[in-house]
Amino acid sequence: MSRGTRQGSNWAPIFEVRGGCRCRAVGWPGVQIAGESTGLGAARVSARRDSAVGEQGPDGGRKPAKATKKAVPAKRVTAEKGAVKKSSASKETAASRKAAAGKKTAAKEAEGKKAEGKKTPAKKTAAAKTPAKEAAAKKAAAGKTVAKETVAGRTVAKKAAAKKAAPLKRQAPAKKPAVAPKKAAAAVKGVAPAKTVAPTSPRGESRTALVRRARRIDRELAEVYPYAHPELDFENPFQLVVATVLSAQTTDLRVNQTTPALFAKYPTPEDLAAAVPEEVEEILRPTGFFRAKTRSVIGLSKALTEDFGGEVPGRLEDLVKLPGVGRKTAFVVLGNAFGRPGITVDTHFQRLVRRWRWTEETDPDKIEAAVGALFPKSDWTDLSHHVIWHGRRICHARKPACGACPIAPLCPAYGEGETDPEKAKKLLKYEKGGFPGQRLKPPRAYLDAGGKPALPLGAG
C-alpha cells in the first residue's frame, strides 16, 4: 500500500513496492492517492482534488488559486484485473487533457492555461464560423439546386412541348367519317355521286322502319338489275337441278362451261342414272369435288327415275329428298323452273343481309325465315336474284365497292370498302365492270341491257 507524507499542509507522494509489483503514484500538490496491489487482486485507484487548496510554487510554498479558475470535477477510474479503464473518456475535453499534462510547474501550467484560454475562443470562433460556413454552403447548394431544378424544369418543359409538338407533325391526318352518297347508280355510269351525311345506325330501329328500309333497298336494286336472272344455263327443270347441285364450292361460270358436255351425253335422268361413274367424273372434274358430285347427280337421277317417273317434282318436300338437294337448291328450282316463290340463301345472300342488318342470324334456315317476314311472298324469287347479283358485282366479300354502291345511303356498313368513286369503279365485276357475265346463253333482256355472254370452256 502506498502512503503519503505530510509536507506542510500538503501530501507528498511516495513509492512503495509490495509483492514484486511496483506501484507508482504520480500526483501533484493537493492530491491524495491511495493504491493497493496484490498479485491476484484488483487495483483500486482514486483521485481527489480539492479546489480550495492553492497550487504549490517552485519554492514549496502555497500559491493562492486564481478566483477566475473553475473547479475541475472529480473523475473516477475503475480498473479490474490489473487493467485501468477510463470512464467517460468521451466527455473529456482537449483543454483538460492539456492542463493535466502541463501542471508540473506553475509557469508551465499558467502558460498552458493562458494558451488554453487563447485557444478556446479561437476554437469557439472557428466553431462559430463553421456553422456560418455550413449555412452559407447550404444556401449556395440550395441556390445551385434551385438553379438546377429551374434548368431541369425548363428542360422538362421544353421536352414536353417538343413531345406535344412532335405528334402534331408525325400524326397522320385523321380519317374523315365515311359519307354515303345520295345514290351511287350515277357512279356506275361514270358520274361521281354527290356526298351527303351518312345515315344513322339502324341499331334499335323499329320493326316498321326495318321493313321500310329493306323494301326500299330491294326497289333500288331492281332498278340497277332489271335483267336479274338465275346465272345457270338450263333448258328444263332436270338440267337446272343438276346444275344447281354442281354449283357447290365453285362458280356458276364454271358450271355453265361444264354442263353442255354432260347434258349432250346424258340428256335425261334415265341416261344419267345408267352412266358409268368414271366417265361422269372426267366430265365433272373442272367443277371440283367431282367424285362426290358424280355420286350426287347419279343418285338423284336414279331417284327421279324410280320415285318420280323421271320428272322433277314441284314440291319442296319432294325435292329435299333427292340426293344432294337441300332447301337452297330446292328454292332455286321452284322459283326459276316452276315459278313458285322461294328465297335462295347462298353465301352472297347471307353476307349482304347481315351487312344491311336485316337479321343477325347465321343459320341459313333462320335467315330465310327472318328475311321472308320482311317481304311479300311474291317478291322472294326476284329478291334473291337482286341480292345475289349485287353481292357478286358490287358488294364483294373482301373489298366492297362502296363508292359505286347504289344503296349506300341505306347501308349501315357503308365505309367498310372503297369509298372513292373512281377507285370503287375499278372493283366492279361482270357487266358492271365491262366484263362478260356467267351464262353462255343469257336471256335476251340481259343482252339488250348491255350484258355479254360468257366464253365457252377452254376459250380465252
Side-chain angles (χ1 to χ4, degrees):
M1 181 175 183
S2 64
R3 295 190 301 271
T5 60
R6 183 74 176 255
Q7 295 181 0
S9 60
N10 297 325
W11 287 86
I14 65 174
F15 307 95
E16 184 176 350
V17 178
R18 287 186 181 182
C21 179
R22 184 178 180 182
C23 297
R24 181 181 180 183
V26 180
W28 53 84
V31 177
Q32 182 179 357
I33 301 175
E36 182 178 356
S37 174
T38 61
L40 300 176
R44 183 176 182 184
V45 180
S46 62
R48 180 185 307 167
R49 180 178 178 180
D50 189 359
S51 60
V53 180
E55 297 180 354
Q56 185 177 2
D59 55 353
R62 288 184 63 185
K63 184 179 179 180
K66 294 181 180 181
T68 58
K69 182 180 178 181
K70 295 182 180 180
V72 179
K75 298 180 180 179
R76 294 183 179 181
V77 180
T78 305
E80 295 183 357
K81 297 182 180 182
V84 179
K85 298 181 180 180
K86 294 182 180 181
S87 62
S88 65
S90 59
K91 295 182 180 180
E92 291 182 354
T93 61
S96 62
R97 290 179 183 177
K98 290 182 179 179
K103 286 184 180 180
K104 290 182 180 181
T105 60
K108 291 182 179 180
E109 186 177 8
E111 292 177 0
K113 287 183 179 181
K114 291 179 180 179
E116 182 181 358
K118 291 179 180 180
K119 289 180 180 179
T120 302
K123 288 184 179 180
K124 289 182 179 180
T125 306
K129 290 181 179 180
T130 301
K133 290 182 180 179
E134 290 180 357
K138 287 182 180 179
K139 289 181 180 180
K144 291 181 181 179
T145 305
V146 172
K148 289 181 180 179
E149 289 179 355
T150 305
V151 174
R154 292 177 182 174
T155 306
V156 171
K158 289 181 180 178
K159 288 183 179 179
K163 286 183 179 179
K164 289 182 179 179
L168 296 177
K169 295 181 181 179
R170 297 178 182 177
Q171 186 177 4
K175 292 184 177 180
K176 295 181 180 180
V179 179
K182 289 183 178 180
K183 191 171 182 180
V188 178
K189 299 177 183 179
V191 180
K195 303 228 171 174
T196 57
V197 179
T200 57
S201 175
R203 290 195 179 277
E205 66 180 344
S206 64
R207 175 71 178 181
T208 303
L210 173 60
V211 171
R212 289 177 178 175
R213 184 170 60 87
R215 293 185 181 183
R216 184 178 175 185
I217 288 175
D218 184 42
R219 290 194 300 269
E220 295 287 345
L221 295 178
E223 294 180 5
V224 179
Y225 312 106
Y227 43 76
H229 57 272
E231 295 191 89
L232 290 171
D233 284 329
F234 68 97
E235 295 178 356
N236 52 58
F238 171 67
Q239 291 184 0
L240 181 57
V241 68
V242 171
T244 306
V245 171
L246 296 178
S247 66
Q249 305 298 324
T250 189
T251 63
D252 290 351
L253 174 60
R254 181 62 65 182
V255 174
N256 292 336
Q257 293 172 338
T258 306
T259 52
L262 179 67
F263 295 141
K265 190 172 184 178
Y266 309 104
T268 63
E270 292 81 5
D271 297 332
L272 189 55
V276 178
E278 289 76 11
E279 296 179 358
V280 177
E281 289 177 1
E282 289 300 321
I283 297 174
L284 301 182
R285 187 180 293 272
T287 64
F289 303 97
F290 56 92
R291 291 189 179 90
K293 291 179 180 180
T294 297
R295 290 193 296 269
S296 296
V297 297
I298 291 178
L300 73 86
S301 298
K302 288 180 179 179
L304 290 175
T305 302
E306 295 173 2
D307 300 336
F308 300 99
E311 297 292 335
V312 178
R315 296 197 312 165
L316 176 64
E317 296 80 1
D318 297 331
L319 286 172
V320 295
K321 293 178 182 179
L322 298 175
V325 177
R327 289 182 66 87
K328 183 190 80 169
T329 302
F331 281 124
V332 171
V333 174
L334 290 174
N336 296 281
F338 295 97
R340 296 180 181 177
I343 295 178
T344 305
V345 184
D346 68 347
T347 56
H348 302 288
F349 193 94
Q350 293 182 47
R351 180 178 72 254
L352 266 63
V353 297
R354 284 198 295 270
R355 277 184 178 171
W356 298 334
R357 295 179 185 171
W358 288 0
T359 179
E360 299 294 335
E361 301 292 344
T362 57
D363 181 73
D365 294 344
K366 293 182 179 179
I367 291 175
E368 176 194 331
V371 175
L374 301 176
F375 296 89
K377 193 172 182 178
S378 59
D379 294 344
W380 287 358
T381 301
D382 290 337
L383 170 68
S384 301
H385 292 326
H386 297 155
V387 175
I388 293 171
W389 275 60
H390 188 63
R392 287 176 174 171
R393 285 153 177 78
I394 297 178
C395 195
H396 311 137
R398 296 184 179 178
K399 197 169 184 181
C402 294
C405 182
I407 59 167
L410 303 172
C411 180
Y414 177 80
E416 290 184 4
E418 182 58 59
T419 57
D420 183 78
E422 295 300 326
K423 294 180 180 180
K425 188 177 179 180
K426 297 178 181 179
L427 300 175
L428 301 179
K429 294 183 178 179
Y430 305 116
E431 77 281 353
K432 292 299 179 184
F435 305 105
Q438 300 194 74
R439 290 191 67 166
L440 300 178
K441 298 178 181 179
R444 176 51 56 181
Y446 177 73
L447 297 175
D448 294 341
K452 299 178 181 180
L455 300 175
L457 184 62

